[in-house]
């Protein structure tokens, strides 16, 4: 298998107060950057969209055929309490073809199985997701968090949004991705966002540290099967945030560590902390151009590479924060901004929603 | 007259028209090749004594000298080479083990020369090291597997002992005894100036060099020469030498003639006695014993110094390294079969061990498969010849490399491979005061600094080309390598793709 290399457009919108709004706006934003995509993949992550099932893990699964579905459902029944399942509603449009079977399940780990596994609940869910994705041919879990969901397909992002009827969902945060891959995977699972639990990543760029990061993260039980930068970054976030317990701010200092010359100029406490993070997590430093938007339960984080080799703009209006590869993609949905700026390389922008745990 | 079985390998060619009979060559050659004939007022040479070290060539003021390979030959035979035949003559005469020095010169594959590096085009910009920061700093030492926080939520920054290096290169072990004081001083001062470390080797540390302690790795080998508390305390790290790439499985031998007053003091053995390092450490017959030695050394130094365990690359190197990683060691140094030596039995040097590239790749993979790669740093040595070799070794998975032969070459070594004779004309592998003083440490240290400064520039250029601006992102980044002319198995072990894939 070969590594997938791509250029891209990304966009994200979040309401700090947790006000829910329709998916319409993110479609409009990412559609502005059509030039940056080539129709080979688009997708969205939406947070706060399943309030009626907010305590259940929402699995979105692609199946190649009914046999895969049957096998996967047997696995799910053995490991989870499935309290609801349905086809994900879609709209037939000429731009999106060859769709797989797309299903959604709201689940909780079976208490007996969970206890027997001696794992914490989230780790249990992660392991089950990996078992399906690497073990069941033709089944692929592409979303597995609570009160959130990923929607993705092969096509231009605005068509993907219409296909999934995204305008009918309401959430407090949306991110979007349009892909410009330099090869043609033609597989829906290969589109972005990439996700694990409630962590989602949309990413623009091509990281030169890829294999160093991949080989390092695979040591902790992750399997990089898609060979995309986004996949490896998503696992790195899961590892550092959920398993190691770093804060998002600290994660920014690992991914896009300040240069040593900058670190030396900091006050002692900060200098020692930055040095510690760079030393201990040196294999998770990301080099090469990237801009990423990370979604998680209760917030969103945007980050550029340390040299800022990819464009990324942030805008604010009242309680709304917008991030996009191009300012135009923000202005199209909100022209009257209180503030607009380009974060510096390595400067993370972390937005959290009041009252939602993160 | 006795029958001469062995004919000289080289001819000393003197251009008599240029020769002004200054007799410099006569004075410079410790092998006594040149002789002045008074009657004819001419210089003559005895080819049979020449080791081809170029000292006379380099010092002749009129460039009258050159050393050429003798065209004298045996009847051609691809099986029985001239070398094979001559070695039999030597052993038939002496009844002894053949000795040689420096690294294995035989025709085995050099994998570094069969790997090519990547560079960015279009989708990912290359980075210009002259315009943007390009970082080569590395930390060696075990990394924690979890973090803890204090009551204020701040990370508790306690780490096992670490070594900070300005670039991922260190000078590897060469003992005072096998090389001269001036060579040692040059290495120590260069390490201090460069912000890296040098290694005492197994012969202890001369008291005048204690002041470079921050830049010193002190070695503990099977002979335990010169090992005492102050010695252990004086360095930045302690290395247990289990093996050496040039002579895996055997110990060392410093002949009594080299053990003069200073060396006797440093090694803590009587003057004029042979210093013999046994093949094994007699307190280490298995991995549990190694663990005990690692912890005794840590105990003796208050857990403040990282411990390196150095092994020769041998067939089972991955499993051995995995054992070492679990023994409490902070770093593993792997020495490939082309690594140099001051003296080794020729058959061992030329027929035992593994290429460092394969050993390094399999150790790095094994430690990752077992999830313990972060417990140890890997230092790779055994013929790193250039900055390109450094970059390739890091991309295969090394944290840092060790160089020794390259450092000696910078000091003037001409790889004549006769260190074991103790008559190094360049003042390096000798203890004869008249020869030692030919190596001026003020110049020697400068040349070492120049060499590594140049390598650092080149490493940055290559990193920039790959779009990598910090060396951590190169470590283990095997996608940056492609093999040329390697078979499937070799590619699999190196963990790289073939060029064009
Ligand atoms: S041994 Fe060295 S110095 Fe002596 S003649 Fe040969 S090359 Fe010249
Ligand atoms: S150190 Fe001296 S004796 Fe040894 S190979 Fe180099 S020049 Fe020859």
């Amino acid at each position: 298998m070969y590594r997938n290399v791509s250029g891209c457009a990304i966009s994200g919108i979040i309401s700090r107060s947790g006000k829910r709004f329709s998916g319409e706006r993110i479609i409009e934003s990412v559609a502005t950057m059509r030039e940056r995509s080539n129709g080979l993949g688009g997708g969205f992550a939406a947070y706060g969209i399943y309030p009626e099932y907010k305590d259940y893990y929402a699995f979105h699964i692609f199946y190649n055929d009914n046999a895969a579905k049957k096998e996967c459902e047997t696995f799910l029944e053995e490991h989870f309490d499935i309290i609801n399942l349905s086809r994900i509603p879609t709209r037939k449009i000429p731009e999106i073809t060859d769709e797989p079977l797309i299903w959604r399940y709201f689940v909780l780990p079976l208490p007996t199985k969970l206890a027997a596994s001696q794992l914490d609940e989230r780790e249990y869910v992660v392991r089950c997701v990996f078992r399906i994705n690497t073990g069941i041919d033709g089944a692929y879990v592409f979303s597995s968090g609570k009160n959130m969901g990923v929607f993705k397909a092969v096509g231009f992002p605005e068509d993907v949004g219409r296909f999934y009827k995204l305008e009918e969902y309401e959430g407090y945060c949306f991110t979007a991705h349009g892909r410009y891959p330099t090869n043609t995977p033609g597989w829906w699972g290969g589109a972005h966002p990439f996700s694990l639990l409630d962590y989602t990543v949309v990413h623009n760029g091509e990281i030169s540290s890829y294999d160093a990061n991949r080989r390092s993260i695979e040591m902790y039980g992750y399997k990089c099967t898609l060979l995309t930068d986004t996949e490896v970054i998503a696992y790195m976030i899961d590892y550092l945030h959920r398993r190691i317990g770093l804060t998002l701010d600290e994660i920014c200092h690992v991914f896009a560590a300040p240069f040593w010359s900058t670190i030396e100029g900091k006050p002692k406490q900060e200098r020692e902390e930055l040095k510690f993070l760079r030393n201990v997590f040196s294999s998770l430093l990301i080099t090469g151009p990237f801009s990423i938007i990370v979604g998680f339960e209760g917030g969103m984080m945007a980050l550029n590479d340390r040299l800022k080799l990819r464009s990324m703009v942030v805008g604010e209006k009242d309680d709304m924060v917008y991030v996009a590869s191009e300012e135009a993609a923000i202005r199209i949905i909100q022209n009257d901004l209180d503030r607009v700026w380009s974060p510096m390389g390595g400067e993370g922008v972390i937005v959290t929603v009041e009252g939602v745990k993160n | 007259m006795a029958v001469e079985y062995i004919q000289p390998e080289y001819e000393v060619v003197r251009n008599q028209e240029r020769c002004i009979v200054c007799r410099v060559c006569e004075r410079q050659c410790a092998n006594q090749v040149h002789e002045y004939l008074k009657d004819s007022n001419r210089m003559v040479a005895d080819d049979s004594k020449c080791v081809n070290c170029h000292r006379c060539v380099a010092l002749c003021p009129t460039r009258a000298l050159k050393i050429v390979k003798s065209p004298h030959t045996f009847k051609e035979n691809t099986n029985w080479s001239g070398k094979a035949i001559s070695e039999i003559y030597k052993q038939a005469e002496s009844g002894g083990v053949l000795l040689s020095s420096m690294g294995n010169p035989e025709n085995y594959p050099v994998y570094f020369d069969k790997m090519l590096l990547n560079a960015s085009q279009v989708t990912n910009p290359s980075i210009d090291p002259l315009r943007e920061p390009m970082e080569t700093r590395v930390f060696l030492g075990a990394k924690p597997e979890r973090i803890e926080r204090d009551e204020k939520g701040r990370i508790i920054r306690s780490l096992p002992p670490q070594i900070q290096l300005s670039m991922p290169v260190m000078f590897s072990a060469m003992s005072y005894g096998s090389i001269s004081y001036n060579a040692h001083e040059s290495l120590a001062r260069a390490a201090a100036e460069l912000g890296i470390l040098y290694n005492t080797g197994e012969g202890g540390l001369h008291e005048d060099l204690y002041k470079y302690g921050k830049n010193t790795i002190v070695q503990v080998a099977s002979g335990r020469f010169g090992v005492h508390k102050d010695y252990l305390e004086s360095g930045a790290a302690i290395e247990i030498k289990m093996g050496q790439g040039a002579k895996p499985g055997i110990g060392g031998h410093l002949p009594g003639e080299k053990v003069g007053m200073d060396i006797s003091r440093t090694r803590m053995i009587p003057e004029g006695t042979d210093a013999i390092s046994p093949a094994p450490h007699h307190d280490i017959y298995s991995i549990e014993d190694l663990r005990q030695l690692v912890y005794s050394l840590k105990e003796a130094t208050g857990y403040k110094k990282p411990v390196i365990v150095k092994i020769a690359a041998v067939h089972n190197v991955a499993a051995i390294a995995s054992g070492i990683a679990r023994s409490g060691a902070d770093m593993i140094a792997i020495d490939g079969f082309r690594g140099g030596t001051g003296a080794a039995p020729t058959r061992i040097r030329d027929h035992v061990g593994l290429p460092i590239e394969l050993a390094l790749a399999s150790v790095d993979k094994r430690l990752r498969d077992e999830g313990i790669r972060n417990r140890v740093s890997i230092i790779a040595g055994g013929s790193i010849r250039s900055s390109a070799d450094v970059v390739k070794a890091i991309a295969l998975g090394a944290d840092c490399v060790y160089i020794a032969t390259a450092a000696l070459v910078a000091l003037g070594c001409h790889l004549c491979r006769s260190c074991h004779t103790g008559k190094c004309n360049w003042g390096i592998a000798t203890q004869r005061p008249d020869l030692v003083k030919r190596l001026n440490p003020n110049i020697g240290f400068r040349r070492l600094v120049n060499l590594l400064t140049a390598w650092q520039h080149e490493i940055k250029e290559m990193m920039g080309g790959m779009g990598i601006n910090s060396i951590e992102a190169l470590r283990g980044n095997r996608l940056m390598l492609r093999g040329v002319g390697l078979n499937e198995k070799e590619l699999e072990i190196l963990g790289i793709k073939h060029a064009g894939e």
Side-chain angles (χ1 to χ4, degrees):
Chain A
M1 197 166 183
Y2 293 88
R3 187 175 162 213
N4 291 327
V5 167
S6 54
C8 304
I10 60 175
S11 180
I13 313 174
I14 185 165
S15 155
R16 275 203 186 103
S17 61
K19 201 168 65 213
R20 292 165 70 213
F21 53 93
S22 141
E24 186 75 50
R25 300 170 75 186
I26 191 79
I27 300 179
E28 217 182 314
S29 166
V30 73
T32 328
M33 299 182 285
R34 193 178 168 97
E35 273 293 297
R36 288 175 166 267
S37 316
N38 66 358
L40 290 174
F44 301 85
Y47 288 84
I49 54 171
Y50 300 134
E52 61 280 28
Y53 292 112
K54 68 179 176 10
D55 297 324
Y56 297 86
Y57 294 93
F59 282 13
H60 292 186
I61 307 183
F62 289 138
Y63 295 120
N64 287 354
D65 49 39
N66 274 309
K69 175 165 176 280
K70 218 166 143 236
E71 190 183 346
C72 183
E73 287 183 348
T74 310
F75 177 88
L76 288 175
E77 275 161 18
E78 279 167 14
H79 294 83
F80 296 94
D81 214 352
I82 305 175
I83 70 129
N84 184 317
L85 78 172
S86 64
R87 253 177 200 283
I88 293 184
T90 56
R91 166 188 284 138
K92 282 267 169 226
I93 54 170
E95 292 84 356
I96 305 285
T97 52
D98 296 327
E99 73 255 38
L101 307 172
I102 312 170
W103 282 74
R104 171 164 59 208
Y105 304 80
F106 291 101
V107 303
L108 268 187
L110 282 177
T112 45
K113 282 269 179 180
L114 177 61
S117 72
Q118 299 188 345
L119 298 171
D120 82 60
E121 185 182 293
R122 288 169 38 104
E123 181 65 22
Y124 178 93
V125 173
V126 167
R127 297 218 188 161
C128 289
V129 168
F130 273 102
R131 277 184 58 187
I132 295 171
N133 289 354
T134 57
I136 302 179
D137 205 27
Y140 186 74
V141 182
F142 61 99
S143 187
S144 52
K146 285 182 179 174
N147 199 10
M148 57 78 64
V150 168
F151 302 89
K152 60 186 187 179
V154 173
F156 281 98
E158 58 274 28
D159 300 330
V160 174
R162 284 199 299 132
F163 172 80
Y164 279 109
K165 305 185 179 177
L166 205 67
E167 72 281 358
E168 293 179 8
Y169 292 88
E170 285 201 335
Y172 60 81
C173 171
F174 288 87
T175 65
H177 187 262
R179 222 166 154 235
Y180 199 131
T182 42
N183 59 2
T184 49
W187 179 56
W188 286 39
H192 305 195
F194 195 84
S195 77
L196 191 63
L197 296 172
D198 59 303
Y199 302 108
T200 61
V201 180
V202 290
H203 156 256
N204 168 22
E206 184 194 334
I207 61 179
S208 53
S209 54
Y210 175 77
D211 214 30
N213 301 145
R214 177 188 68 83
R215 296 185 69 233
S216 178
I217 200 73
E218 287 197 338
M219 217 162 73
Y220 308 113
Y222 298 90
K223 284 183 204 71
C224 297
T225 51
L226 300 180
L227 304 198
T228 61
D229 296 348
T230 322
E231 178 190 35
V232 83
I233 294 173
Y235 294 158
M236 282 157 60
I237 288 169
D238 179 64
Y239 174 71
L240 290 174
H241 194 248
R242 180 174 64 87
R243 289 178 49 188
I244 294 290
L246 291 192
T247 65
L248 292 164
D249 210 39
E250 287 163 348
I251 291 176
C252 292
H253 292 144
V254 170
F255 283 1
F259 289 100
W260 287 116
S261 51
T262 313
I263 293 178
E264 302 304 353
K266 300 274 183 194
K268 182 152 188 290
Q269 171 77 16
E270 195 182 345
R271 181 173 73 226
E272 292 296 317
E273 269 169 26
L274 290 168
K275 192 171 157 188
F276 177 92
L277 290 170
R278 264 201 88 167
N279 178 2
V280 173
F281 301 105
S282 62
S283 297
L284 302 180
L285 172 76
I286 304 176
T287 58
F290 71 86
S291 55
I292 53 173
I293 303 176
V294 178
F296 52 92
E297 196 180 351
M300 182 173 97
M301 172 179 102
L303 180 69
N304 251 157
D305 64 83
R306 54 213 305 244
L307 288 179
K308 198 166 175 74
L309 295 168
R310 280 287 185 273
S311 57
M312 192 176 77
V313 183
V314 182
E316 274 177 2
K317 172 72 185 173
D318 303 328
D319 76 320
M320 300 298 288
V321 182
Y322 307 84
V323 180
S325 305
E326 291 174 12
E327 193 173 327
I330 298 176
R331 297 247 175 231
I332 189 89
I333 47 174
Q334 179 55 273
N335 201 11
D336 175 26
L337 293 164
D338 299 337
R339 188 173 160 223
V340 56
W341 80 100
S342 277
M344 308 232 289
E347 177 196 332
V349 177
I350 300 163
V351 186
T352 51
V353 176
E354 294 140 31
V356 182
K357 78 150 187 61
N358 64 71
Chain B
M1 205 178 124
V3 182
E4 264 309 338
Y5 283 97
I6 297 166
Q7 304 308 323
E9 270 183 83
Y10 315 102
E11 272 175 31
V12 180
V13 180
R14 188 186 319 272
N15 183 331
Q16 294 292 0
E17 276 176 26
R18 289 191 181 182
C19 179
I20 53 169
V21 201
C22 67
R23 299 178 69 175
V24 162
C25 49
E26 185 189 10
R27 285 191 299 277
Q28 288 291 326
C29 185
N31 300 307
Q32 297 176 306
V33 168
H34 302 275
E35 195 187 341
Y36 173 60
L37 298 183
K38 196 151 178 265
D39 294 348
S40 51
N41 187 34
R42 266 179 358 124
M43 300 298 300
V44 289
D46 178 355
D47 298 339
S48 70
K49 294 179 181 157
C50 178
V51 299
N52 196 1
C53 74
H54 291 193
R55 181 74 189 180
C56 55
V57 177
L59 271 91
C60 174
T62 60
R63 294 189 200 285
L65 287 167
K66 65 180 171 188
I67 314 295
V68 299
K69 192 170 158 47
S70 168
H72 170 77
T73 177
F74 289 94
K75 188 153 186 165
E76 278 191 26
N77 187 328
T78 47
N79 184 35
W80 283 100
S81 65
K83 180 168 166 278
I85 299 169
S86 302
E87 284 174 347
I88 289 199
Y89 290 149
K90 274 188 208 158
Q91 292 193 297
E93 217 157 274
S94 70
V97 169
L98 293 169
L99 274 189
S100 6
S101 32
M102 297 317 274
N104 186 336
E106 298 301 322
N107 187 24
Y108 295 100
V110 179
Y111 287 98
F112 282 130
D113 295 341
K114 294 173 187 249
M115 289 188 283
L116 293 171
L117 293 165
N118 193 25
S120 309
Q121 299 287 295
V122 186
T123 52
N124 177 346
S126 45
I127 304 168
D128 182 351
L130 296 177
R131 288 166 193 275
E132 306 283 356
M134 190 61 68
E135 303 183 306
T136 57
R137 181 186 297 184
V138 290
F139 290 91
L140 305 183
K143 312 295 180 231
E145 267 143 35
R146 56 181 59 86
I147 58 157
E148 272 153 40
R149 293 180 188 270
D150 63 16
E151 64 289 349
K152 287 200 193 122
R154 284 190 310 224
I155 295 175
I156 299 171
R157 300 183 305 271
S158 62
L159 278 180
Q162 307 280 309
I163 295 177
Q164 180 181 324
L165 302 173
S166 64
M167 64 188 288
V169 179
M170 301 192 288
F171 297 126
S172 67
M174 288 177 280
S175 70
Y176 173 42
S178 76
I179 60 170
S180 64
Y181 178 84
N182 287 359
H184 246 212
E185 183 185 329
S186 305
L187 290 165
R189 285 168 59 185
E193 169 95 6
L194 288 160
I196 61 167
L197 269 57
Y198 86 110
N199 187 316
T200 61
E202 61 176 304
L205 179 59
H206 193 284
E207 53 202 13
D208 293 352
L209 297 180
Y210 271 67
K211 57 176 178 276
Y212 302 107
K214 278 207 322 279
N215 299 90
T216 307
I217 297 169
V218 293
Q219 200 182 59
V220 174
S222 61
R224 304 284 153 88
F225 299 117
V227 177
H228 50 92
K229 186 152 167 49
D230 288 350
Y231 170 74
L232 295 176
E233 291 281 0
S234 70
I238 302 171
E239 179 172 274
I240 300 173
K241 177 193 179 183
M242 294 304 302
Q244 183 179 346
K247 40 182 175 179
I250 66 165
H253 180 186
L254 187 71
E257 345 29 299
K258 289 197 184 172
V259 183
M261 193 181 70
D262 255 5
I263 293 191
S264 127
R265 268 167 63 97
T266 309
R267 293 209 173 203
M268 307 196 304
I269 53 171
E271 239 175 276
T273 51
D274 287 11
I276 295 178
S277 306
H281 287 246
H282 282 299
D283 52 359
I284 303 180
Y285 282 8
S286 88
I287 192 84
E288 314 84 85
D289 299 342
L290 173 67
R291 189 183 169 82
Q292 286 194 4
L293 180 58
V294 169
Y295 279 100
S296 335
L297 292 171
K298 289 193 171 203
E299 194 67 43
T301 50
Y303 293 86
K304 288 200 202 73
K305 320 264 177 195
V307 172
I308 307 168
V309 173
K310 175 177 176 176
I311 50 168
V314 290
H315 298 180
N316 212 8
V317 66
I320 298 165
S322 153
I324 294 172
R326 296 167 198 279
S327 74
D330 301 273
M331 299 166 208
I332 303 176
I334 315 165
D335 198 15
F337 82 143
R338 285 193 189 272
T341 174
T346 311
R347 297 296 175 239
I348 303 260
R349 185 196 66 177
D350 295 355
H351 298 277
V352 181
L354 293 187
I356 185 59
E357 303 90 323
L358 301 181
L360 166 62
S362 63
V363 168
D364 177 66
K365 176 166 190 305
R366 176 68 168 259
L367 297 183
R368 285 174 195 264
D369 287 351
E370 296 183 3
I372 54 175
R373 177 66 182 82
N374 288 344
R375 282 201 206 166
V376 281
S377 298
I378 300 178
I379 309 167
S383 213
I384 301 288
R385 303 154 302 170
S386 69
S387 58
D389 289 354
V390 178
V391 170
K392 291 172 190 179
I394 304 289
L396 279 177
D399 288 272
C400 170
V401 303
Y402 257 154
I403 63 166
T405 303
L408 296 192
V409 172
L411 292 177
C413 163
H414 277 57
L415 278 178
C416 69
R417 310 201 300 260
S418 11
C419 320
H420 57 290
T421 63
K423 291 189 285 193
C424 175
N425 271 328
W426 294 91
I428 300 166
T430 180
Q431 301 303 328
R432 254 173 59 178
D434 61 317
L435 300 177
V436 172
K437 73 166 197 266
R438 292 179 183 178
L439 176 62
N440 178 342
N442 294 328
I443 297 171
F445 118 86
R446 194 32 66 199
R447 291 179 64 84
L448 290 169
V449 171
N450 285 347
L451 176 76
L452 287 190
T453 307
W455 282 21
Q456 189 177 30
H457 283 306
E458 292 174 337
I459 291 169
K460 289 180 175 182
E461 292 275 355
M462 284 181 266
M463 282 167 52
M466 290 184 264
I468 288 177
N469 55 11
S470 189
I471 196 107
E472 302 100 293
L474 179 65
R475 183 181 54 232
N477 196 335
R478 295 191 186 172
L479 266 186
M480 291 297 167
L481 296 169
R482 288 290 188 280
V484 270
L486 296 176
N487 66 35
E488 284 290 338
K489 193 73 199 175
E490 291 167 317
L491 294 168
E492 180 196 318
I493 295 167
L494 291 166
I496 62 173
K497 293 190 165 109
H498 201 275
E501 274 190 271

